[in-house]
Amino acid sequence: YKLSENIIFCAGLKYAIIKQEVLNSKGLVPKETIGNVLVSIGGTDPFNYSQQIIEALLNGTSKNIFVLTYPLNPKFKLLTELADKNQGQVKLFHSLNTTDLIQLIQESDLAILQPSNIALEAAAIGTGMCLIQTAENQKYIYDTLMKNQCAFKLEQSNIAAQVNSITLSDINAQIQHQQALLDGRSPNRIIDVV
């Protein structure tokens, strides 16, 4: 980028702009179980990954599945029906405020996410994480979280087997890496630069 002399360019996750409420909240560390899995693949989910992941988890695990989506999702009705059909195992959430989002992430032992703001928020709170890149503009967050051992890559084949193979030790190690990467000091770093 060519910048004028009055502009300062702050790049990288050490300058990540994350809501203060999120930075101030932490999940249960260390995690004690892997019973709750959050699935959130964005508001539009054009390739319908949410349904594929939920169905794989239903068929291959006994874990509770929390689905976070939005009414704008073209498959929202289908996801609602899937949650209604599997009420004992699947809960659908949408249109959450920050406090409710934080609580949902804190209650999740593992999150299957797209590498976007929600992945950064989940990492700031601290939870096990698997990522599936759904768009090219997610590459930087994906690469950075993977490089820093803050997440696992979700393979579309054998989703349930992959989730079942993740241990508490794996998740707690990820959370330690997440806390080192997103240490809550990004607002102060930005102020110091300015």
Side-chain angles (χ1 to χ4, degrees):
Y1 293 98
K2 184 177 181 182
L3 304 175
S4 71
E5 63 183 66
N6 296 331
I7 295 178
I8 299 169
F9 191 65
C10 300
L13 291 187
K14 71 180 191 174
Y15 298 105
I17 298 173
I18 299 173
K19 292 179 183 176
Q20 196 62 48
E21 304 97 311
V22 172
L23 292 173
N24 292 339
S25 60
K26 296 291 177 198
L28 177 63
V29 179
K31 295 285 187 182
E32 296 176 356
T33 63
I34 309 174
N36 299 326
V37 178
L38 171 63
V39 176
S40 183
I41 310 297
T44 59
D45 190 8
F47 301 108
N48 200 22
Y49 290 125
S50 297
Q51 180 184 357
Q52 296 168 38
I53 293 166
I54 294 162
E55 288 177 347
L57 294 173
L58 284 169
N59 291 326
T61 74
S62 60
K63 300 189 184 313
N64 298 314
I65 304 165
F66 302 153
V67 181
L68 176 60
T69 189
Y70 302 92
L72 295 174
N73 183 331
K75 302 293 184 181
F76 184 77
K77 184 177 178 188
L78 185 135
L79 293 172
T80 301
E81 291 169 358
L82 189 59
D84 289 345
K85 183 176 153 185
N86 296 282
Q87 285 183 6
Q89 196 174 355
V90 180
K91 292 182 184 176
L92 183 76
F93 299 87
H94 65 86
S95 309
L96 298 182
N97 63 36
T98 302
T99 302
D100 292 338
L101 176 64
I102 290 167
Q103 182 177 355
L104 181 62
I105 293 170
Q106 287 173 331
E107 291 175 4
S108 302
D109 304 305
L110 180 66
I112 299 174
L113 307 169
Q114 65 179 3
S116 63
N117 279 356
I118 191 159
L120 296 177
E121 291 167 338
I125 293 167
T127 194
M129 199 179 331
C130 292
L131 297 177
I132 180 168
Q133 185 177 336
T134 61
E136 186 59 31
N137 67 351
Q138 299 167 349
K139 185 172 177 26
Y140 174 77
I141 293 173
Y142 177 86
D143 288 347
T144 302
L145 291 175
M146 296 299 292
K147 181 180 104 182
N148 287 281
Q149 301 175 21
C150 296
F152 301 112
K153 177 181 181 179
L154 181 69
E155 301 289 346
Q156 288 181 268
S157 59
N158 295 325
I159 292 169
Q162 185 178 354
V163 167
N164 288 330
S165 72
I166 296 171
T167 67
L168 279 173
S169 177
D170 295 332
I171 287 175
N172 289 320
Q174 266 190 1
I175 292 169
Q176 294 295 319
H177 293 292
Q178 292 166 359
Q179 290 175 343
L181 184 64
L182 295 165
D183 59 12
R185 296 193 308 254
S186 56
N188 293 339
R189 287 187 191 99
I190 294 169
I191 290 169
D192 290 345
V193 170
V194 178

